Amino acid sequence: MDRRAFRMKRSRNSLPFRISLVFLLSTLLIEGVLFLLLYHTLLGERVVEEINRLESRAESHANVLAMNFSKETIGHVATMESETDTKVAITDPAHVLLQTSRSFPQVLVDTVETKRRIGPFDDTTVLEDDWENEPYLSVRTPITDDLDTRYGYVYMFLPTEIIHGISHRLQLRFLYITAIALVTTILTFILLSRLISKPIESLRRATENVLTNPDDLQLPTNRVDEIGELARSIESMSLELSRLRRERHQFLSDLSHEIKTPLTYLRGYAEIASKDSTPESLRQQSIQTILDESRSLTELVENAFQLAQLDENTFLLHREEVSVTTFCADLRRMLDTMFRMTTIRFDTLPNVGRPDVSLTLDRHRMLQVFRSIAHNAIEHSEASHVSLRSNVTDTHLILTITDNGKGIPEEDLPHIFDRLYRVEKSRSRQTGGSGLGLAIADQIVVRHGGTLTVSSDTSGTSFTVTLPLDKKTPSL
């Protein structure tokens, strides 16, 4: 019983049931509004039409009687109306009945008595138009000749059962349409269950394996509708998740190796430096190696910490207003210092644009961006020449570092700024790297409201940093 209740509850909460219910309610609402409008419009027009017909017939009889108000003419009028669905009564000026059509019911005699003092007496008057509650519609017309001689009145009656019949037929049609809407809704529910529920259920079962086995998914990616688009998106997400897992595993292995190697050097050279028998020259070399490895390890830990801050969205920028001239001068000094210790020739191309403008940035973080780019050129590009070009437009400062190295493989270029991604898959400390520097650099530029792009071929690589002028981005 509990299982049946669960299935019923699940069926009521299913997407096809909800869509079908909305479809049914919408159909009934639209149908109900249209029915009420049509119902009252048609019946109202029919009542007005019938009353106009009664008035016309009453005035026609009154004209005939006014020309010859005799028993013969009165009988002729009464006989004419006996063959129709209307009833007629002819009275004298005091509303006393003189003649009626055949089968004149007592209720109409009573109506003449009760309505004879209602309304004006010199014009055609509608005595009753309440078709819903009264058995007859009725009008009254005076019989008057050209000399304003009053001979009496003509009373015309029409049974309201005719209008009730029209109302009943409209209600039946409304019920038929409601039944059709219910059947259509049931068919819609069944169709939607086949078109939506089953594919979604298959997607649900397949995506349960995304975390456990993302490489083995069976999804309806060949569909050309929204379900197919969703399946392709899930497949793309699964492939990306699989790649991230592999990269994370590789990164953790690399990070473990990168940390283990300097620790090994630190321990080994510390043991050498601590021995009394160690020559002074070797002792000094060991101490210098310890310092170098300590700085390398500190930088690695700092990069990992910054990556964690980026993940937690706690990476702070301490912005200040800096002129373009001052920032470019700081940047050139830093790069000169870095490349002076290498065999790579570095030069700076002349500034293009207006150097007397300012921008708001975190100088330390932005120099870190170019330090990572320069380090990448020094360690991995195999370049012999690196240049820095700056250009100032009306809205942006554009800085480009170009080398003439071996370039970045085309298949790696789209992922160069991905976290944990490494072009060089080797674990060598000379050619490896943790894959964090450029990812962090890209995020720093983005948090400044700028962009970091790269282009590369076999003739070299260019990194371009675009920063907005006089624009303070919100702290993140």
Side-chain angles (χ1 to χ4, degrees), residues 38 57 80 85 132 158-159 190 216 247 252 294 375 403 413 416:
L38 182 65
R57 294 179 70 86
M80 287 178 57
D85 55 358
E132 294 181 289
L158 177 70
I190 296 174
D216 187 21
E247 293 296 335
L252 292 176
S294 297
H375 179 77
D403 66 59
L413 202 58
I416 195 67

PDB file of all heavy atoms in Angstrom, residues 38 57 80 85 132 158-159 190 216 247 252 294 375 403 413 416:
ATOM      1  N   LEU A  38     -19.699  33.770 -25.347  1.00  0.00           N
ATOM      2  CA  LEU A  38     -20.567  33.320 -26.433  1.00  0.00           C
ATOM      3  C   LEU A  38     -21.990  33.092 -25.946  1.00  0.00           C
ATOM      4  O   LEU A  38     -22.965  33.465 -26.609  1.00  0.00           O
ATOM      5  CB  LEU A  38     -19.987  32.028 -27.033  1.00  0.00           C
ATOM      6  CG  LEU A  38     -20.741  31.418 -28.218  1.00  0.00           C
ATOM      7  CD1 LEU A  38     -20.688  32.364 -29.410  1.00  0.00           C
ATOM      8  CD2 LEU A  38     -20.135  30.070 -28.591  1.00  0.00           C
ATOM      9  N   ARG A  57     -44.433  42.655 -35.202  1.00  0.00           N
ATOM     10  CA  ARG A  57     -45.713  42.015 -35.448  1.00  0.00           C
ATOM     11  C   ARG A  57     -46.849  42.745 -34.732  1.00  0.00           C
ATOM     12  O   ARG A  57     -47.946  42.914 -35.275  1.00  0.00           O
ATOM     13  CB  ARG A  57     -45.676  40.555 -35.015  1.00  0.00           C
ATOM     14  CG  ARG A  57     -44.739  39.696 -35.849  1.00  0.00           C
ATOM     15  CD  ARG A  57     -44.715  38.267 -35.359  1.00  0.00           C
ATOM     16  NE  ARG A  57     -45.979  37.597 -35.642  1.00  0.00           N
ATOM     17  CZ  ARG A  57     -46.274  36.991 -36.785  1.00  0.00           C
ATOM     18  NH1 ARG A  57     -45.387  36.986 -37.779  1.00  0.00           N
ATOM     19  NH2 ARG A  57     -47.447  36.387 -36.963  1.00  0.00           N
ATOM     20  N   MET A  80     -54.675  34.531 -37.452  1.00  0.00           N
ATOM     21  CA  MET A  80     -53.316  34.522 -38.022  1.00  0.00           C
ATOM     22  C   MET A  80     -52.280  34.090 -36.991  1.00  0.00           C
ATOM     23  O   MET A  80     -51.391  33.279 -37.264  1.00  0.00           O
ATOM     24  CB  MET A  80     -52.962  35.923 -38.549  1.00  0.00           C
ATOM     25  CG  MET A  80     -53.685  36.311 -39.842  1.00  0.00           C
ATOM     26  SD  MET A  80     -53.247  37.993 -40.348  1.00  0.00           S
ATOM     27  CE  MET A  80     -51.482  37.860 -40.464  1.00  0.00           C
ATOM     28  N   ASP A  85     -45.894  30.441 -33.439  1.00  0.00           N
ATOM     29  CA  ASP A  85     -45.457  30.123 -32.082  1.00  0.00           C
ATOM     30  C   ASP A  85     -45.678  31.275 -31.116  1.00  0.00           C
ATOM     31  O   ASP A  85     -45.317  31.188 -29.946  1.00  0.00           O
ATOM     32  CB  ASP A  85     -43.970  29.749 -32.084  1.00  0.00           C
ATOM     33  CG  ASP A  85     -43.108  30.840 -32.729  1.00  0.00           C
ATOM     34  OD1 ASP A  85     -43.670  31.845 -33.194  1.00  0.00           O
ATOM     35  OD2 ASP A  85     -41.869  30.658 -32.764  1.00  0.00           O
ATOM     36  N   GLU A 132     -35.090  34.107 -18.509  1.00  0.00           N
ATOM     37  CA  GLU A 132     -34.609  33.046 -17.616  1.00  0.00           C
ATOM     38  C   GLU A 132     -35.643  32.672 -16.560  1.00  0.00           C
ATOM     39  O   GLU A 132     -35.686  31.519 -16.121  1.00  0.00           O
ATOM     40  CB  GLU A 132     -33.305  33.483 -16.953  1.00  0.00           C
ATOM     41  CG  GLU A 132     -32.143  33.631 -17.925  1.00  0.00           C
ATOM     42  CD  GLU A 132     -30.864  34.042 -17.224  1.00  0.00           C
ATOM     43  OE1 GLU A 132     -30.785  35.198 -16.773  1.00  0.00           O
ATOM     44  OE2 GLU A 132     -29.958  33.190 -17.114  1.00  0.00           O
ATOM     45  N   LEU A 158     -44.336  35.617 -26.649  1.00  0.00           N
ATOM     46  CA  LEU A 158     -43.494  34.563 -27.229  1.00  0.00           C
ATOM     47  C   LEU A 158     -43.007  33.657 -26.114  1.00  0.00           C
ATOM     48  O   LEU A 158     -42.416  34.130 -25.128  1.00  0.00           O
ATOM     49  CB  LEU A 158     -42.280  35.168 -27.957  1.00  0.00           C
ATOM     50  CG  LEU A 158     -41.287  34.142 -28.529  1.00  0.00           C
ATOM     51  CD1 LEU A 158     -41.903  33.403 -29.714  1.00  0.00           C
ATOM     52  CD2 LEU A 158     -39.977  34.805 -28.947  1.00  0.00           C
ATOM     53  N   PRO A 159     -43.182  32.327 -26.200  1.00  0.00           N
ATOM     54  CA  PRO A 159     -42.699  31.418 -25.148  1.00  0.00           C
ATOM     55  C   PRO A 159     -41.161  31.475 -25.034  1.00  0.00           C
ATOM     56  O   PRO A 159     -40.456  31.446 -26.043  1.00  0.00           O
ATOM     57  CB  PRO A 159     -43.167  30.045 -25.619  1.00  0.00           C
ATOM     58  CG  PRO A 159     -44.246  30.309 -26.600  1.00  0.00           C
ATOM     59  CD  PRO A 159     -43.921  31.613 -27.257  1.00  0.00           C
ATOM     60  N   ILE A 190      -0.059  10.798 -21.781  1.00  0.00           N
ATOM     61  CA  ILE A 190       0.582   9.565 -22.249  1.00  0.00           C
ATOM     62  C   ILE A 190       1.704   9.891 -23.227  1.00  0.00           C
ATOM     63  O   ILE A 190       2.816   9.334 -23.159  1.00  0.00           O
ATOM     64  CB  ILE A 190      -0.466   8.647 -22.909  1.00  0.00           C
ATOM     65  CG1 ILE A 190      -1.513   8.211 -21.862  1.00  0.00           C
ATOM     66  CG2 ILE A 190       0.207   7.429 -23.530  1.00  0.00           C
ATOM     67  CD1 ILE A 190      -2.656   7.415 -22.452  1.00  0.00           C
ATOM     68  N   ASP A 216      31.929   6.119 -19.195  1.00  0.00           N
ATOM     69  CA  ASP A 216      31.036   5.093 -19.732  1.00  0.00           C
ATOM     70  C   ASP A 216      29.581   5.553 -19.600  1.00  0.00           C
ATOM     71  O   ASP A 216      28.824   5.033 -18.792  1.00  0.00           O
ATOM     72  CB  ASP A 216      31.263   3.768 -18.994  1.00  0.00           C
ATOM     73  CG  ASP A 216      30.481   2.626 -19.638  1.00  0.00           C
ATOM     74  OD1 ASP A 216      30.109   2.769 -20.821  1.00  0.00           O
ATOM     75  OD2 ASP A 216      30.222   1.619 -18.955  1.00  0.00           O
ATOM     76  N   GLU A 247      43.602  15.576 -14.672  1.00  0.00           N
ATOM     77  CA  GLU A 247      44.513  16.679 -14.406  1.00  0.00           C
ATOM     78  C   GLU A 247      44.763  16.841 -12.911  1.00  0.00           C
ATOM     79  O   GLU A 247      45.882  17.170 -12.484  1.00  0.00           O
ATOM     80  CB  GLU A 247      43.949  17.975 -14.994  1.00  0.00           C
ATOM     81  CG  GLU A 247      43.885  18.006 -16.510  1.00  0.00           C
ATOM     82  CD  GLU A 247      45.261  17.929 -17.131  1.00  0.00           C
ATOM     83  OE1 GLU A 247      46.240  18.314 -16.452  1.00  0.00           O
ATOM     84  OE2 GLU A 247      45.370  17.470 -18.280  1.00  0.00           O
ATOM     85  N   LEU A 252      48.287  16.526  -8.436  1.00  0.00           N
ATOM     86  CA  LEU A 252      48.671  16.069  -7.103  1.00  0.00           C
ATOM     87  C   LEU A 252      49.979  15.286  -7.149  1.00  0.00           C
ATOM     88  O   LEU A 252      50.826  15.413  -6.250  1.00  0.00           O
ATOM     89  CB  LEU A 252      47.553  15.221  -6.502  1.00  0.00           C
ATOM     90  CG  LEU A 252      46.260  15.970  -6.153  1.00  0.00           C
ATOM     91  CD1 LEU A 252      45.205  15.003  -5.653  1.00  0.00           C
ATOM     92  CD2 LEU A 252      46.538  17.054  -5.115  1.00  0.00           C
ATOM     93  N   SER A 294      64.565  26.706  -0.805  1.00  0.00           N
ATOM     94  CA  SER A 294      63.546  27.246   0.098  1.00  0.00           C
ATOM     95  C   SER A 294      62.652  28.252  -0.628  1.00  0.00           C
ATOM     96  O   SER A 294      61.437  28.261  -0.457  1.00  0.00           O
ATOM     97  CB  SER A 294      64.209  27.918   1.310  1.00  0.00           C
ATOM     98  OG  SER A 294      64.936  26.980   2.067  1.00  0.00           O
ATOM     99  N   HIS A 375      58.499  34.187 -16.775  1.00  0.00           N
ATOM    100  CA  HIS A 375      59.042  32.909 -16.307  1.00  0.00           C
ATOM    101  C   HIS A 375      58.731  31.804 -17.310  1.00  0.00           C
ATOM    102  O   HIS A 375      59.574  30.936 -17.582  1.00  0.00           O
ATOM    103  CB  HIS A 375      58.461  32.578 -14.943  1.00  0.00           C
ATOM    104  CG  HIS A 375      58.946  31.277 -14.386  1.00  0.00           C
ATOM    105  ND1 HIS A 375      60.189  31.119 -13.825  1.00  0.00           N
ATOM    106  CD2 HIS A 375      58.356  30.054 -14.325  1.00  0.00           C
ATOM    107  CE1 HIS A 375      60.352  29.864 -13.434  1.00  0.00           C
ATOM    108  NE2 HIS A 375      59.245  29.194 -13.724  1.00  0.00           N
ATOM    109  N   ASP A 403      57.829  36.436 -27.709  1.00  0.00           N
ATOM    110  CA  ASP A 403      59.128  35.752 -27.784  1.00  0.00           C
ATOM    111  C   ASP A 403      59.254  35.067 -29.129  1.00  0.00           C
ATOM    112  O   ASP A 403      58.266  34.889 -29.848  1.00  0.00           O
ATOM    113  CB  ASP A 403      59.275  34.752 -26.628  1.00  0.00           C
ATOM    114  CG  ASP A 403      58.292  33.592 -26.722  1.00  0.00           C
ATOM    115  OD1 ASP A 403      58.317  32.866 -27.737  1.00  0.00           O
ATOM    116  OD2 ASP A 403      57.491  33.414 -25.768  1.00  0.00           O
ATOM    117  N   LEU A 413      46.922  25.000 -26.943  1.00  0.00           N
ATOM    118  CA  LEU A 413      46.672  26.438 -26.850  1.00  0.00           C
ATOM    119  C   LEU A 413      45.321  26.776 -26.205  1.00  0.00           C
ATOM    120  O   LEU A 413      45.245  27.692 -25.377  1.00  0.00           O
ATOM    121  CB  LEU A 413      46.769  27.057 -28.243  1.00  0.00           C
ATOM    122  CG  LEU A 413      47.062  28.559 -28.307  1.00  0.00           C
ATOM    123  CD1 LEU A 413      48.364  28.878 -27.594  1.00  0.00           C
ATOM    124  CD2 LEU A 413      47.118  29.030 -29.762  1.00  0.00           C
ATOM    125  N   ILE A 416      45.647  26.668 -22.250  1.00  0.00           N
ATOM    126  CA  ILE A 416      46.854  27.215 -21.638  1.00  0.00           C
ATOM    127  C   ILE A 416      46.569  27.907 -20.306  1.00  0.00           C
ATOM    128  O   ILE A 416      47.412  27.950 -19.411  1.00  0.00           O
ATOM    129  CB  ILE A 416      47.554  28.190 -22.627  1.00  0.00           C
ATOM    130  CG1 ILE A 416      48.980  28.480 -22.171  1.00  0.00           C
ATOM    131  CG2 ILE A 416      46.759  29.468 -22.785  1.00  0.00           C
ATOM    132  CD1 ILE A 416      49.883  27.298 -22.249  1.00  0.00           C
TER     133      ILE A 416
END
